């Protein structure tokens, strides 16, 4: 294992472009201040596991640009003549809150100009495809509301719609709701999802998922009290399952993060009285649970579906200061 200072410096280096130009560049002192809020015996093990996790789930600006560049010329997505294909794509700008879509559209516009010599604003005059682009889909609430509003207000009677994201959690419910909205509007929408990485979070696959879900409830009084306050017992994962995309180093490392982030998340939640009931210890989620448990963080923001210990603010010190919509 690396020495303690090296662990802090290594994690700081990995997330160095987080909200670049908006907040001070994360350094070893920043990581040390954050990790010092956990018991001394688990600090280095937590950092060691996070280096493994974020190597797979922290998306730097360079990684995102590489993904977009690859999609622009991808034969499966854009066919044998990609630049010709893109001229017929109407890129949707639908989000009314936050800037994740606008940031992604900027990267796409740069890529189209650089690789095809075409201006994105001139594409899709007579569209054969509509494109919804964003960084990640978690519960899918935003993408559903955006697309359903588009279907009701301005979508044509027949449309091919591609949804393109970096990280995609389960899309089945969003697909169901979008198809129902199209049917209600008497429109035919051919929907397809594209992603850089799939993240398994279905309840039926809880034992082999890509999100944090503990195998047991910690015995401390605060966590026990939180669980008791829920109307339904939260889902519990069986020991020994594996993340399909290898987010965690193994059961031991995963168990450590789940237990420590849950316990500290309850503490953070109790520190922040203005959180609503849906802000769970392991991340925002509408129904009774311990939280969504996502580990995705991008260079531009940390989602509130991630554990509270990663992003919650004063009086907690966050690893990823979050920019609210």
């Amino acid at each position: 294992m690396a020495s303690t200072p090296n662990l802090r410096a290594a994690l700081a280096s990995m997330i160095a472009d987080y909200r670049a130009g908006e907040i001070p560049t994360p350094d070893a002192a920043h990581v040390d201040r954050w990790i010092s809020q956990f018991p001394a015996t688990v600090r280095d093990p937590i950092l060691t596991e996070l280096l493994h996790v974020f190597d797979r789930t922290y998306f730097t600006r360079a990684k995102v640009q590489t993904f977009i560049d690859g999609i622009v010329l991808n034969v499966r997505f854009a066919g044998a003549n990609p630049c010709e294909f893109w001229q017929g794509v109407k890129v949707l700008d639908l989000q009314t809150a936050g800037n994740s879509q606008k940031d992604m559209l900027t990267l796409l516009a740069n890529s189209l100009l650089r690789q095809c010599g075409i201006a994105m604003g001139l594409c899709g005059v007579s569209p054969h495809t509509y494109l919804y682009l964003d960084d990640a889909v978690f519960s899918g609430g935003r993408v559903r509301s955006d697309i359903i509003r588009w279907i009701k207000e301005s979508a044509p009677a027949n449309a091919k719609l591609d949804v393109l994201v970096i990280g995609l959690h389960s899309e089945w419910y969003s697909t169901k709701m979008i198809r129902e909205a199209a049917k209600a509007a008497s429109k035919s929408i051919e929907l397809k999802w594209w992603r850089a990485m799939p993240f398994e979070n279905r309840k039926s696959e809880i034992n082999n998922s890509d999100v944090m879900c503990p195998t047991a409830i910690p015995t401390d009084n605060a966590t026990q009290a939180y669980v008791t306050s829920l109307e339904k017992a939260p889902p519990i994962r069986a020991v020994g399952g594996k993340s399909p995309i290898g987010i965690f180093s193994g059961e031991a490392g995963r168990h450590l993060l789940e237990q420590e982030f849950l316990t500290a998340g309850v503490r953070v939640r109790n520190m922040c009285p203005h959180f609503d009931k849906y802000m769970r210890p392991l991340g925002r989620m509408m129904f009774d649970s311990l939280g969504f448990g996502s580990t995705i963080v991008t260079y531009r923001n940390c989602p509130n579906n991630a554990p509270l210990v990663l992003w919650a603010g004063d009086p907690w010190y966050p690893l990823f200061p979050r920019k609210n919509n």
Side-chain angles (χ1 to χ4, degrees), residues 101-118:
Q101 187 167 74
K102 287 180 172 55
D103 290 350
M104 294 289 286
L105 294 181
T106 297
L107 296 183
L108 176 59
N110 292 340
S111 186
L112 286 172
L113 192 62
R114 177 167 27 89
Q115 298 192 101
C116 290
I118 56 178

Side-chain angles (χ1 to χ4, degrees), residues 178-199:
I178 290 169
R179 286 175 175 168
E180 288 180 1
K183 183 178 180 181
S186 299
K187 295 180 178 181
S188 175
I189 306 295
E190 180 187 343
L191 175 65
K192 189 167 185 179
W193 300 81
W194 300 81
R195 72 281 188 270
M197 291 179 69
F199 289 79

